[in-house]
Amino acid sequence: EKWDMPMAYAATNFHSEVGAAFASCVTEGTGGELEIVTHPSGSLFGGAEIKRAVMTGQAMIGERLMSAHQNENPLYGVDSIPFLVSSFDEHEELWSIAEPYVSDALAEDNLHYLYSVPWPPQGLYTNKPIEDISDLKGLKFRSYSTATAKMAELTGMLPVQVEAAELSQALATGVAESFISSGATGYDRKVWEQLSNFYEVDAWLPRNAVFVNADAWSDLSDESKSVMNDCASTAAADGLQRSKDYTDFTLEELEKNGMTVERANDTLMGQLKEMGEVMTNEWLEEAGEDGKAIVDAYKGE
Amino acid sequence: MKLLRRTLDTAYLIGGVIASFFLIAILVIIVLQMLARWTGQVFPGATDYAGYCMAAASFFAFAYALNHGAHIRVSILLTALGRHRKWGEIWCFGIGTAISTWFAWYAIRGNQISLRFNELSQGLDATPIWIPQLSMSIGTVLLAVAFWDHLIRLIVTGSHGITTDLVDQSQGE
Amino acid sequence: MEQLIPIGIFLFVLFLLLGSGVWVGLALMGVAYVGMELFTSRPAGDAMITKIWSSSSSWTLTALPLFIWMGEILYRTRLSEDMFRGLSPWMARLPGGLVHTNIVGCTVFAAVSGSSAATLTTVGKMSIPELRKRNYPETMVIGTLAGAATLGLMIPPSLTLIVYGVTINESITKLFMAGVFPGLVLAALFMGYVAVTSFVSKDFDPDPEPPMSFTEKLRNSRFLIPVICLILVVIGSMYMGWATATEAAAFGVIGSMLLAATQGSLTWGTFSESLMGAVRTSAMIALILAGASFLSLSMGFTGIPRGLADLIASWELSRFQLLMALLVFYVVLGCFLDGISSVVLTMAVVEPMIRAAGIDLIWFGIFIVVVVEMAQITPPIGFNLFVLQGMTGHEMNFIARAAIPMFLIMVVMVFVLIAFPDLATWLPDNIRKGPAS
Ligand code: NA
Ligand code: NA
């Protein structure tokens, strides 16, 4: 049997490479009985369509940025609560608590959760040095989600809505002057052409999840399932390591190309954490009991 | 019979007029979004709404465009058929009817899937996707109806009744 | 390749449906359906709707109907007449005469719009009637328009370059800058062709423009002021940071309405006619885009584009051989797919080949754009051919034949790019900052 696996990001992105390795792991492990063919760059289904495609069996397996679907279920956005965690390790701690809840949520959407890999931590790009949260006031800030729009509101930045595809042009023409994203985005889009500072604030670490159509999953033989599970845990571990390595690499590259890359000072970090508190509470209001259970368990540890 | 004819033609035209409102809506939304940005406001979900209007402006106008001969095709062979052209047209309208009916059927089904899974837009607007998708269901059904209409007319009267819009074709003069 | 038989069936159905006169958008859907049934067990209809909905409701697409609307408004004002009154005294003396306005118009409008269809409709709506009035040979008018409109993809802003840049993670600003000189060179090649043909061809016998003194020519140039203002507003809105490339289209529509109003040609009648005209044209294009998006999904499932790219990779060619192989490959693919789909479907395999061969990826982006431009004018699936057919009522084979010289000029352009790579790489290497800073 052949499964097509739509993926949203470019073939050279580490997520896509981990996915490709997972696919060949399964193909080899099942002796070709189950062949997985990856389709990177949104060449089969684009990012926004992948979850629907897998839910309804238009593709049997796929990878998607989970938090993109948090309108449907706030639990999908548990990895994107601003300033709740502030490092890879803290994030993994949070995720180990949240994973079963998210897995259940996906099951309700006819999806079997396999594994997920975090993106590098989200930092703050600006066109000038920022010492204090008040320095942000009036800066044109790219807001593309509920959380980023809220951040603009809380900091007094001017929110400008810019789609990912238009980011480079928006920066070049001064439509946007700052945004939040990982070091990887800055490296990919070569933002040093326009912006000067990157602050490691580790705002959040969004995850890409790989899931299988639930009916297709239950039709698999036990051997195939166990091969898939083994390959999935290899991919998860490998992906985490590559995400960490890639973070170091991209930050070095930003610096090499003339950007100032530094951790935010304690004052700024404290102010951002305060803002994070407000936003965590807002998320909790939407996410109900499950959300509360996750955050309580995380804070209790 | 006459009443049916008038009703159908009016339905295609209304589709086109609705589409034109959505085209104006795209313009309005984009202007509002720019105004919002210049004044430091947010217009949450503007790009998504513009996208829905884009879809509605297309789907609602499919049948209207067909009725005015705006949809294009390669008609070398049809012209070459000469007085047997009718049979070529029946083949074309037959295939067109089949595909457009299939299209409409799955558009409705896709719309139902969005409703059943309660799919929400992934943008700031968080719109239930089945609502804007209604334009796709209605527009494709209208297109399928138009194809059936023309096919039946073609078989019964020998002429399909598509009038190529003179304004479109006379630009040369 | 054990896939030879399914590929054969696939091509047969494509030619059968398109050739027998089934509407293009629906024919593409039919072909895509056959492909899905042959190559995968996934539900064809459901997948089609997922794909068609997301492609039809896309934000970046909204610029297209707006630019078409702008073209419809301008066509109903005196603007096109005025533009020709202003340009003709200057252009008429050039060998090739007013045909050059097609090319110059497309080049200028390419700097406003990111798509070739919008460039084509806007310029074509204005120039075709004026050129026909003056008895220019139809093949020349149609051919140059089909070819020059593809500059919309090369001269920034460009949808193709955005997609390419995002796919391979290259700076879009740099890619945009890389397109400027090759775009101008290509325009110059088109104009050179027009000049030469005007001497060689017997058919080239337009009505002469009345002779005019220099001061008269200057006086007539005042008619160009409104057009120049409009273009400056649209381009300026982007480079001043007021609008994104998509939003600039709104400036275009409002600007042309204001222009029409000041000329007194904005009545309820022209307004509603322009609006309904735009609705029809964009519905026509939308149906084809819907079919094309489903076909591209189907091709993704068949694995044919990737299989071919894999095959080329296995030949281990030299740099020049590789580029030639890719040229042929993309020209063939371009006959059946729109340019953006062929980039997205193959880049995963082609990118490593290019990097391994040590080819500059910015330069290759421009190479790709030229090839994608060719795809716009090659039958059976060539977007500019479709749009021109809708606009002029000519048969597809007439338009495709008229466009052959333009296709050959683009092939020449590929060799120019290979011989003078600096054309593409000099500007991005030497200007580090974006247009506004
Ligand atoms: Na352009
Ligand atoms: Na083509």
Side-chain angles (χ1 to χ4, degrees), chain A residues 14 88 117-118 235-248:
Chain A
F14 76 89
F88 264 111
V117 173
D238 184 33
L240 176 61
Q241 189 53 47
R242 296 191 61 162
S243 187
K244 287 178 179 172
D245 297 345
Y246 196 56
T247 307
D248 297 339

Side-chain angles (χ1 to χ4, degrees), chain C residues 274-348:
Chain C
S274 72
L275 183 60
M276 295 314 280
V279 163
R280 283 193 299 270
T281 308
S282 43
M284 181 266 279
I285 294 179
L287 186 61
I288 299 175
L289 283 178
S293 72
F294 181 33
L295 181 61
S296 141
L297 175 76
S298 173
M299 292 286 254
F301 273 115
T302 64
I304 294 172
R306 198 157 45 164
L308 288 173
D310 271 330
L311 184 69
I312 295 177
S314 69
W315 292 339
E316 295 180 356
L317 302 168
S318 75
R319 229 159 111 165
F320 183 75
Q321 287 171 328
L322 176 65
L323 287 174
M324 288 303 104
L326 287 175
L327 174 62
V328 174
F329 169 62
Y330 279 111
V331 166
V332 172
L333 212 58
C335 289
F336 304 102
L337 279 177
D338 70 288
I340 288 178
S341 301
S342 45
V343 171
V344 172
L345 283 171
T346 54
M347 231 1 111

Side-chain angles (χ1 to χ4, degrees), chain A residues 1-256:
Chain A
E1 199 179 356
K2 189 182 125 194
W3 282 8
D4 293 280
M5 178 171 175
M7 307 180 84
Y9 302 94
T12 47
N13 184 287
F14 76 89
H15 283 286
S16 307
E17 289 178 349
V18 169
F22 167 78
S24 52
C25 172
V26 172
T27 308
E28 280 164 30
T30 58
E33 207 169 290
L34 177 60
E35 185 197 359
I36 298 184
V37 180
T38 56
H39 298 263
S41 298
S43 60
L44 198 62
F45 289 102
E49 309 142 37
I50 289 174
K51 179 165 168 274
R52 176 192 170 105
V54 179
M55 270 182 344
T56 54
Q58 298 163 29
M60 292 308 198
I61 183 172
E63 181 199 65
R64 176 62 177 148
L65 177 72
M66 257 176 3
S67 52
H69 293 277
Q70 61 178 320
N71 283 343
E72 292 171 10
N73 187 337
L75 285 179
Y76 292 144
V78 65
D79 55 4
S80 303
I81 307 168
F83 306 104
L84 176 61
V85 299
S86 46
S87 67
F88 264 111
D89 295 336
E90 287 183 26
H91 169 78
E92 283 303 312
E93 236 174 80
L94 173 69
W95 182 248
S96 66
I97 299 165
E99 193 169 22
Y101 291 94
V102 174
S103 176
D104 286 348
L106 286 169
E108 277 174 36
D109 282 341
N110 200 32
L111 295 169
H112 174 80
Y113 168 83
L114 268 184
Y115 71 89
S116 63
V117 173
W119 283 89
Q122 307 284 298
L124 179 65
Y125 289 87
T126 57
N127 63 352
K128 61 173 192 188
I130 306 293
E131 300 289 329
D132 185 277
I133 205 162
S134 60
D135 293 339
L136 290 171
K137 209 165 187 140
L139 219 52
K140 290 183 206 155
F141 175 73
R142 177 194 173 218
S143 71
Y144 61 95
S145 63
T146 332
T148 46
K150 187 73 189 171
M151 277 180 65
E153 189 192 319
L154 292 172
T155 53
M157 292 188 277
L158 296 179
V160 289
Q161 196 177 344
V162 175
E163 299 301 296
E166 287 184 325
L167 178 61
S168 299
Q169 203 220 351
L171 292 171
T173 54
V175 169
E177 298 165 333
S178 78
F179 65 101
I180 280 204
S181 192
S182 67
T185 309
Y187 169 69
D188 288 346
R189 299 295 172 84
K190 303 185 169 48
V191 298
W192 50 78
E193 290 172 6
Q194 290 93 24
L195 300 181
S196 55
N197 294 71
F198 178 80
Y199 291 96
E200 296 171 57
V201 294
D202 294 347
W204 64 88
L205 293 85
R207 297 182 81 91
N208 275 4
V210 172
F211 38 68
V212 179
N213 179 284
D215 307 319
W217 175 259
S218 54
D219 286 348
L220 283 181
S221 68
D222 287 343
E223 296 87 63
S224 298
K225 279 183 188 167
S226 95
V227 170
M228 288 261 258
N229 284 332
D230 290 347
C231 293
S233 37
T234 314
D238 184 33
L240 176 61
Q241 189 53 47
R242 296 191 61 162
S243 187
K244 287 178 179 172
D245 297 345
Y246 196 56
T247 307
D248 297 339
F249 167 76
T250 52
L251 295 189
E252 273 165 31
E253 284 293 316
L254 291 184
E255 203 149 28
K256 248 190 238 167

Side-chain angles (χ1 to χ4, degrees), chain C residues 109-115 119 151-159:
Chain C
F109 197 75
V112 173
S113 106
S115 94
T119 309
L151 289 170
L153 302 178
M154 170 112 65
I155 293 174
S158 155
L159 287 178

Side-chain angles (χ1 to χ4, degrees), chain B residues 37 64 73 75 91 109 172, chain C residues 20 46 132 247 389 395:
Chain B
R37 194 173 54 225
Y64 167 69
R73 53 185 181 149
S75 44
W91 154 263
R109 222 178 97 99
Chain C
S20 67
D46 292 337
R132 280 184 179 164
E247 294 162 350
Q389 190 187 349
E395 268 305 330

Side-chain angles (χ1 to χ4, degrees), chain B residues 13 16-17 19-21 23-24 26-27 30-31 33-34 37-38 46-48 50-52 54-59 61-62 64-66 68 70-79 88-89 91-93 95-97 99-100 102-103 106-111 113 129 132-136 143 147 162 165 167-173, chain C residues 16-27 29-30 33 44-46 48-49 52-53 56-59 61-62 65-66 69 72 75-76 125 128-129 132-133 241-244 246-251 253-254 257 271 273 275-284 286-288 290 294 385-387 389-393 395-397:
Chain B
L13 180 64
V17 171
S20 75
F21 287 139
L23 181 51
I24 296 173
I26 295 175
L27 180 67
I30 291 181
V31 169
Q33 193 196 12
M34 282 191 287
R37 194 173 54 225
W38 299 341
T47 50
D48 301 275
Y52 306 145
M54 175 71 216
S58 316
F59 285 115
F62 279 169
Y64 167 69
L66 179 75
H68 281 74
H71 289 303
I72 55 161
R73 53 185 181 149
V74 183
S75 44
I76 315 165
L77 199 74
L78 287 173
T79 317
E89 291 284 11
W91 154 263
C92 289
F93 274 91
I95 298 276
T97 307
I99 296 177
S100 61
W102 181 70
F103 187 16
Y106 278 97
I108 294 173
R109 222 178 97 99
N111 206 334
I113 290 175
I129 283 299
Q133 278 181 346
L134 286 177
S135 69
M136 177 169 64
L143 179 67
F147 262 107
I162 287 183
D165 200 282
V167 178
D168 279 351
Q169 296 294 319
S170 67
Q171 294 150 14
E173 273 67 52
Chain C
L16 176 71
L17 291 186
L18 275 179
S20 67
V22 175
W23 293 263
V24 175
L26 298 178
M29 278 181 209
Y33 168 75
D46 292 337
M48 168 181 77
I49 292 304
I52 286 183
W53 173 252
S56 327
S57 60
S58 119
W59 148 252
L61 203 61
T62 52
L66 291 183
W69 190 8
E72 290 278 344
Y75 156 72
R76 286 181 171 79
K125 273 263 167 186
I128 293 176
R132 280 184 179 164
K133 222 189 278 176
W242 297 336
T244 65
T246 314
E247 294 162 350
F251 272 91
V253 172
I254 295 172
M257 265 195 248
F271 175 81
E273 271 170 37
L275 183 60
M276 295 314 280
V279 163
R280 283 193 299 270
T281 308
S282 43
M284 181 266 279
L287 186 61
I288 299 175
F294 181 33
L385 304 180
F386 295 153
V387 174
Q389 190 187 349
M391 222 155 74
T392 63
E395 268 305 330
M396 178 78 88
N397 58 342

